[in-house]
Amino acid sequence: MLDKLCRDPSHLERLLKIRLAEEKELKLLDWLKLDQYQDVEEWKEILRSLLKLNQKCLFQSETFVLAVHILDDFLGFVKVHGKYLNCAAYASYYSACKLLEEDEFVPELSTFVELIGHKFTTNDITRMEKIILEKTEWNMNHVTICNFLDIYYSLVCGKYFKTLFGSDSLAYSIYRNLAAQGVQCITYVSLINFKGSIKALALLSCTLEKITSRWFSYIEEICQMGKIQIQDVLECRDVIKTVLFGQQKKLKPPRNKKFLKRQMILTPRRQLLSPIDEIPQQESDKLLSSNEPSDSESMKCLFNEELARLRQISLDDIPLPSPSKRRKLNSCSLESKLSHGFNGLLTSPVKTLSV
C-alpha cells in the first residue's frame, strides 16, 4: 500500500489516469485455448509452482504477479510448451525478483537453481532471460492488479479513513488480505477476460461490502474518476464472489412482496366444499338387517330408501300439462295472503306432482 503521506486525492487521481493509460490486456488468451484441456492444466500447474516458490522465498505478492505478467508478455511473441514453458516461467520470476525485491534478499542464481529443485541449470535460466528481454524489448514495467489495488485503497483511505478504518493497523491488515486475494484472482482462468483495473475494483467492492452498506457509492466515485464502466465491475464482482468466496447470485422473485401481499388481501379465498359421501347399497342393506337399530342408523336407512326411490324416477314418467291448461298467476300468493290475513303457515301455490 502507498504510504499514508501519499494520500493526496488529486495526486492519486492523476496517477490512476496514468496507470489506466499504460494498462495492457493480457496476451495469454492468444496462447491459451480454453477449449484445450491440456493447455489450461499446463498453465495452472505453472502458476502453482511459481506460487509455491514465492511462498518459499517469503517475497511479496507483487513479485509473483509481475512474474506472471512478464511470462504473459513473452507468450504473446513465442508459443512454447513443456519444459521450455517451465524454464520461461522460472526465468520470468527471477527477473521479477531482481526488479521488485531488495538486492540483499535476492538469491544468487546458483541458490535460485537449488530452490527450484535443480530442474534447470544456471545457463538455462540465463539464456532464457536473454530471450525474454530480446522478445519483449526490455519492457518489464507492467501495470498489474497490485498497482491498482494500491491506488484504489489509498484513495479510499485518503477520503474516508476515519469513517471506515480509524486506525492504521486495521487498514494495513485489510490491505494484506486484499493483496492475498489479488494473487488468487491471477490464478483463476475464469477471470482472465477482465483487466487488472476491473478485478482490483471488484475485489475492493467485496471488501467494502463487509465494512459498510454504502460500498456502492465509493466504487461509483472511483469509476467516475477513472471513467470505468460500472457494469464491467459488477460482472467481475459476481465472478469473484462465486470463485473466491463460493457465493452464488441470488435470484430475484418474479414479483414484489408488497404486490403479492396486496393481491392475497384483495383476492377472495374460495373454500372447497366437502364432498358428499353416499352410503353404498351393501352397507344400507346391512343397516336394515340389523336387529336393534339406533336413531342415527334408522335415519340413515330412511335416507337410503328415499335416495333409492328418487333414483328410480324418470323425467319421461312425469306428465306435463298442456299450455292451455296451465294456471295463470296474476299476483304473488305471498302478497295475496298478507292482504287477506292468515293464521297458519304459508303454503306454496304450486301443486306437487304425485308420483
Side-chain angles (χ1 to χ4, degrees):
M1 184 174 63
L2 297 177
D3 192 78
K4 59 182 180 181
L5 297 177
C6 301
R7 292 177 182 174
D8 185 12
S10 60
H11 169 69
L12 293 173
E13 185 176 356
R14 290 193 301 268
L15 183 60
L16 176 59
K17 292 180 180 179
I18 294 172
R19 294 301 185 188
L20 287 174
E22 294 176 352
E23 186 181 16
K24 298 179 182 179
E25 294 185 359
L26 292 175
K27 301 178 182 179
L28 182 63
L29 293 177
D30 299 332
W31 175 85
L32 183 63
K33 298 179 181 178
L34 298 180
D35 55 347
Q36 297 292 334
Y37 177 77
Q38 296 179 355
D39 295 342
V40 176
E41 289 300 319
E42 187 178 11
W43 175 255
K44 289 181 179 180
E45 185 63 29
I46 290 295
L47 293 183
R48 282 194 290 264
S49 61
L50 291 182
L51 189 58
K52 289 180 181 179
L53 181 60
N54 192 68
Q55 294 173 356
K56 184 185 295 185
C57 297
L58 300 177
F59 289 156
Q60 54 186 346
S61 57
E62 288 84 351
T63 304
F64 167 77
V65 176
L66 181 59
V68 175
H69 276 263
I70 293 174
L71 179 61
D72 171 75
D73 195 15
F74 174 68
L75 292 177
F77 298 98
V78 181
K79 307 296 187 295
V80 293
H81 293 276
K83 64 178 183 179
Y84 298 104
L85 179 61
N86 291 327
C87 186
Y90 289 125
S92 301
Y93 183 80
Y94 192 65
S95 300
C97 293
K98 291 186 289 185
L99 289 173
L100 294 181
E101 300 296 336
E102 298 293 337
D103 295 337
E104 56 184 3
F105 296 117
V106 176
E108 296 292 335
L109 187 55
S110 58
T111 307
F112 182 77
V113 171
E114 293 179 2
L115 290 173
I116 63 177
H118 295 280
K119 295 180 181 179
F120 302 96
T121 62
T122 56
N123 293 330
D124 295 335
I125 300 296
T126 305
R127 186 167 57 252
M128 186 58 71
E129 271 190 310
K130 291 180 180 179
I131 295 173
I132 292 174
L133 291 173
E134 290 176 358
K135 294 296 182 180
T136 58
E137 297 180 354
W138 292 75
N139 184 16
M140 297 289 179
N141 188 17
H142 297 280
V143 182
T144 64
I145 183 176
C146 297
N147 300 126
F148 288 108
L149 277 176
D150 289 343
I151 299 173
Y152 295 153
Y153 199 75
S154 299
L155 277 170
V156 174
C157 290
K159 291 185 177 182
Y160 311 103
F161 180 79
K162 294 183 179 180
T163 305
L164 296 176
F165 309 108
S167 63
D168 291 335
S169 59
L170 179 60
Y172 276 102
S173 63
I174 293 175
Y175 177 77
R176 284 195 296 269
N177 293 330
L178 270 175
Q181 293 170 1
V183 171
Q184 294 180 5
C185 291
I186 297 295
T187 59
Y188 287 102
V189 182
S190 57
L191 293 171
I192 293 178
N193 295 323
F194 299 99
K195 294 182 178 181
S197 57
I198 302 297
K199 287 186 286 188
L201 194 55
L203 191 60
L204 179 62
S205 69
C206 295
T207 303
L208 292 179
E209 186 181 6
K210 301 177 182 179
I211 301 175
T212 177
S213 60
R214 298 183 57 192
W215 61 270
F216 185 79
S217 60
Y218 302 139
I219 301 301
E220 188 179 13
E221 182 180 356
I222 297 176
C223 288
Q224 293 176 358
M225 188 183 303
K227 297 181 180 180
I228 302 173
Q229 296 294 330
I230 188 65
Q231 186 63 30
D232 297 338
V233 178
L234 295 179
E235 291 178 3
C236 182
R237 168 188 164 87
D238 293 337
V239 179
I240 287 177
K241 293 181 71 173
T242 304
V243 174
L244 264 68
F245 307 108
Q247 300 179 5
Q248 294 183 356
K249 188 177 180 180
K250 297 182 180 180
L251 298 177
K252 295 183 179 180
R255 294 184 180 179
N256 193 3
K257 292 183 179 180
K258 294 182 179 179
F259 175 77
L260 292 176
K261 186 176 181 180
R262 190 183 301 113
Q263 188 179 17
M264 291 175 63
I265 295 174
L266 297 178
T267 305
R269 297 181 180 179
R270 297 180 179 178
Q271 298 180 355
L272 297 176
L273 298 176
S274 58
I276 299 175
D277 297 331
E278 296 183 359
I279 302 177
Q281 187 66 26
Q282 296 178 357
E283 295 183 3
S284 62
D285 295 341
K286 291 180 181 179
L287 291 174
L288 289 173
S289 61
S290 60
N291 297 327
E292 296 179 358
S294 59
D295 296 337
S296 61
E297 291 178 351
S298 61
M299 292 295 295
K300 290 181 180 180
C301 292
L302 294 176
F303 175 76
N304 291 332
E305 291 178 359
E306 185 67 19
L307 185 61
R309 186 181 66 81
L310 292 175
R311 285 176 177 174
Q312 295 176 359
I313 297 175
S314 177
L315 294 177
D316 298 335
D317 300 336
I318 301 175
L320 297 176
S322 61
S324 60
K325 295 182 179 180
R326 289 178 184 175
R327 181 179 178 184
K328 297 181 180 180
L329 299 177
N330 296 326
S331 61
C332 181
S333 60
L334 182 61
E335 294 179 356
S336 62
K337 290 289 184 180
L338 291 175
S339 61
H340 293 86
F342 61 93
N343 295 325
L345 296 175
L346 292 176
T347 58
S348 176
V350 182
K351 294 182 179 180
T352 57
L353 299 175
S354 60
V355 180

